[in-house]
Amino acid sequence: MREITIPIDDEVIRSLHVGDSVALTGIMVTARDAAHKWMVETFIKKTRPPQGEDEQVYEALKKLLNGGVIYHCGPVVSKDENGEYHFLAAGPTTSIREEPYQADVMKHFNVKGVIGKGGMGAKTLQGCRETPGVYFHAVGGAATFLAQTVEKVHGVYKLEFGVPEALWVIEVKEFPAVVTMDAHGQSQHAIVDAASRQVLEELLNKPY
Amino acid sequence: MERAMRDLTNEIIELIRRTSTRLPADVEERLRAAIEKEAPGSAARNALETILKNIELSRQKSTPICQDTGTPIFYVHYPEGWSTRALREQIRNAMAEATKRSYMRPNAVDAIYDRNTGNNLGGDDFPYIHFEEVDADQPLVIELMLKGGGCENVGRQYSLPDNELGADRDLAGVRKVVLDAVQKAQGQGCAPGILGVAIGGDRSSSYLKSKEVLFEKIGVRNPDPELAKLEERLTEEANQLGIGPMGFGGQTTVLDTKIVGLSRLPASYFVTVSYMCWAYRRRKMIVRGDQVEYE
């Protein structure tokens, strides 16, 4: 298990390889479907004009994401009597839905790590090379367990997207994950996909 | 008629809490048994160990096993004379309260206006409630399944014959498309998964029944010996694909397969695969007079 502190520099990113177990400590931002679409349309492709507090949120995100980590997560959150938020359940969501956006977001904000589950495709793998960055795989469904690593919820942006889709700024300690896509063009997901496709071919050719 | 007026809202909140925070014993047992099949130190084995720790922690802390508390699917078997309108209202009130108590994540998003309702109440279809009348002397049984979006997204429906897969309109063809669905799902449905397979029906009934069959416990086989054999064969062959827990690669991709056969039109031969993630959350409550039991 390798300890990694956020923000992460390029040297550390390049030293990571598929299969490495890591424990992440520092501040990360949750972002999933609505957030990725919004970031790309508003700030990268600029097909939609900024509205409301978008510009202020953008300035904050630029700082948080530079060398930072995005977590594909839609948490279960409680609010205590002092108005403070707590993460009760916070496992990863399926990452492939962000495939159209992820590489652009990584490059635009200099995002060093993306945490999710299920892996991502060729475009993101190329984004990992260019940024450079890595994809960290967390255990899907292990929501209570992973929420234990969230020490503090610093704040939330775009809560109007709904609790699961908002951008939550969280401080984690020793968040466990495995590198499954690295900055050297390797993807565990591509390997497993190809190997399983070959087994499938063999099984399809077997008589019933 | 008087008992039909009984308010079960609190008992239904408890059903939701248990379903979201406690994995059924039969699922946990299968996951535990799967650990030994994975190589020590492998990512697959570590994932299963984390899954089991998470199951234990969620039970202790009474927090959701998975943050995606899914589509709530209720099957209500109500004795003749009970009001389904009253039961629906109680279920909806219980759902809103369970969401307030963080047993559920607010999960109902208006697809047109892109707004989360914040309380898990959407239109009539969210939560999904199916009513089935039973004899007046039978207990009221409410079953609940929570099916997460990640696994829902990897479900598939095939219209046979499927030329690309060489799948004809027979059980040999069914086998081929089900294995294809598992390969295409990779780890994205939170493997190891459980397969609900419906053969026949129309597009909608086939999907519905492929989920309904998941209310059965792991290891319950179809009474038709040939389908029972196919269920076991599919589980075994799916595991040969080597996708493994979370898609990391490994021995355990599917924990069980359940098949249900339906009527079809002469023109149609649908095979529908519903993929259930390892967080296979299903519970039931049984109401006999004043007694409420949970399973």
Side-chain angles (χ1 to χ4, degrees):
Chain A
M1 182 80 75
R2 196 163 146 202
E3 305 275 341
I4 306 272
T5 308
I6 308 165
I8 313 174
D9 65 34
D10 289 0
E11 200 183 326
V12 170
I13 287 297
R14 289 206 176 86
S15 74
L16 289 169
H17 294 273
V18 163
D20 289 349
S21 289
V22 300
L24 299 161
T25 297
I27 291 174
M28 56 173 76
V29 183
T30 71
R32 47 179 291 172
D33 309 74
H36 278 79
K37 184 168 180 285
W38 166 78
M39 286 190 281
V40 169
E41 288 179 352
T42 319
F43 310 117
I44 300 174
K45 291 191 174 154
K46 298 185 174 155
T47 53
R48 167 195 175 279
Q51 289 161 19
E53 296 180 339
D54 282 2
E55 292 285 8
Q56 292 96 298
V57 178
Y58 180 52
E59 290 308 314
L61 285 178
K62 278 200 284 193
K63 291 194 192 85
L64 286 163
L65 295 180
N66 186 15
V69 170
I70 282 179
Y71 182 19
H72 296 157
C73 171
V76 176
V77 182
S78 71
K79 198 176 190 177
D80 66 23
E81 57 274 22
N82 301 320
E84 278 204 40
Y85 291 111
H86 301 276
F87 271 32
L88 300 182
T93 190
T94 313
S95 299
I96 195 69
R97 297 190 307 268
E98 315 320 331
E99 182 67 9
Y101 316 112
Q102 198 66 71
D104 295 337
V105 168
M106 288 176 84
K107 285 185 273 187
H108 184 83
F109 289 99
N110 190 34
V111 175
K112 295 283 119 185
V114 171
I115 308 172
K117 75 170 172 84
M120 301 189 74
K123 192 178 170 197
T124 304
L125 192 58
Q126 186 58 27
C128 285
R129 263 178 193 273
E130 289 170 17
T131 309
V134 298
Y135 178 82
F136 297 109
H137 199 300
V139 174
T144 295
F145 178 80
L146 290 169
Q148 306 273 299
T149 69
V150 180
E151 298 218 299
K152 191 171 168 57
V153 179
H154 284 275
V156 58
Y157 295 112
K158 302 299 283 182
L159 195 51
E160 66 264 32
F161 288 162
V163 167
E165 295 273 8
L167 296 108
W168 296 89
V169 182
I170 54 173
E171 189 168 342
V172 301
K173 191 178 177 197
E174 293 171 6
F175 181 104
V178 182
V179 176
T180 56
M181 293 164 65
D182 63 26
H184 310 283
Q186 291 301 304
S187 164
Q188 176 70 7
H189 306 286
I191 293 167
V192 172
D193 185 36
S196 61
R197 201 174 312 151
Q198 201 179 335
V199 177
L200 178 67
E201 286 303 319
E202 289 161 17
L203 288 170
L204 293 183
N205 288 325
K206 260 193 188 174
Y208 183 67
Chain B
M1 275 303 155
E2 197 177 318
R3 61 181 180 164
M5 300 302 289
R6 181 172 172 201
D7 187 354
L8 290 165
T9 307
N10 284 327
E11 287 77 7
I12 299 167
I13 294 170
E14 175 62 8
L15 173 69
I16 297 168
R17 185 187 73 82
R18 287 181 187 232
T19 310
S20 180
T21 65
R22 299 184 185 187
L23 203 68
D26 60 315
V27 184
E28 191 174 344
E29 256 165 49
R30 278 292 163 116
L31 288 165
R32 207 171 286 284
I35 288 191
E36 297 312 319
K37 296 184 189 138
E38 304 297 344
S42 64
R45 190 174 176 127
N46 291 343
L48 287 172
E49 283 169 355
T50 300
I51 284 169
L52 283 158
K53 272 185 221 161
N54 181 63
I55 293 167
E56 182 58 34
L57 261 178
S58 306
R59 188 164 40 220
Q60 280 170 18
K61 296 173 71 78
S62 193
T63 50
I65 294 164
C66 178
Q67 78 290 337
D68 186 358
T69 53
T71 304
I73 305 170
F74 287 92
Y75 269 65
V76 182
H77 310 264
Y78 67 99
E80 188 183 345
W82 284 59
S83 160
T84 58
R85 275 182 304 172
L87 283 165
R88 179 183 294 277
E89 197 187 327
Q90 289 167 25
I91 287 172
R92 288 178 71 88
N93 290 342
M95 186 51 68
E97 180 57 31
T99 308
K100 219 182 265 175
R101 296 189 197 173
S102 303
Y103 304 145
M104 296 289 292
R105 183 178 74 180
N107 251 6
V109 181
D110 185 304
I112 306 303
Y113 300 104
D114 228 1
R115 268 195 295 271
N116 192 318
T117 62
N119 60 4
N120 264 314
L121 300 182
D124 279 350
D125 54 334
F126 201 109
Y128 182 81
I129 309 172
H130 175 86
F131 288 103
E132 199 70 49
E133 187 176 297
V134 296
D135 286 342
D137 60 354
Q138 291 295 303
L140 167 76
V141 178
I142 304 181
E143 295 182 278
L144 170 59
M145 188 188 309
L146 300 175
K147 190 168 188 298
C151 67
E152 183 70 0
N153 287 352
V154 298
R156 267 173 198 276
Q157 189 166 68
Y158 297 84
S159 177
L160 269 50
D162 185 308
N163 203 24
E164 207 176 308
L165 293 166
D168 297 315
R169 291 181 157 194
D170 51 27
L171 292 184
V174 171
R175 168 182 166 267
K176 289 182 179 181
V177 299
V178 173
L179 290 173
D180 181 66
V182 177
Q183 198 280 332
K184 288 212 165 77
Q186 289 292 299
Q188 285 166 9
C190 275
I194 299 89
L195 307 176
V197 179
I199 306 171
D202 64 12
R203 286 202 182 269
S204 55
S205 65
S206 199
Y207 262 120
L208 197 65
K209 293 287 174 179
S210 70
K211 285 185 199 172
E212 193 179 300
V213 74
L214 292 168
F215 274 114
E216 295 280 1
K217 282 194 172 144
I218 284 186
V220 173
R221 294 279 68 91
N222 189 296
D224 180 319
E226 201 175 346
L227 292 179
K229 216 165 78 186
L230 181 55
E231 289 174 334
E232 281 176 6
R233 180 172 176 183
L234 280 168
T235 302
E236 191 199 314
E237 290 185 328
N239 286 329
Q240 290 173 25
L241 292 171
I243 294 163
M246 292 297 125
F248 287 158
Q251 308 302 312
T252 317
T253 304
V254 165
L255 296 177
D256 200 14
T257 305
K258 296 173 180 305
I259 298 176
V260 56
L262 310 172
S263 302
R264 62 177 180 86
L265 296 183
S268 303
Y269 195 115
F270 293 114
V271 179
T272 307
V273 182
S274 274
Y275 193 107
M276 174 60 91
C277 58
W278 69 257
Y280 183 9
R281 291 153 287 174
R282 49 157 162 64
R283 293 263 166 200
K284 66 167 84 159
M285 64 184 264
I286 302 159
V287 184
R288 287 185 189 86
D290 291 340
Q291 297 294 311
V292 181
E293 258 176 68
Y294 295 94
E295 262 181 30

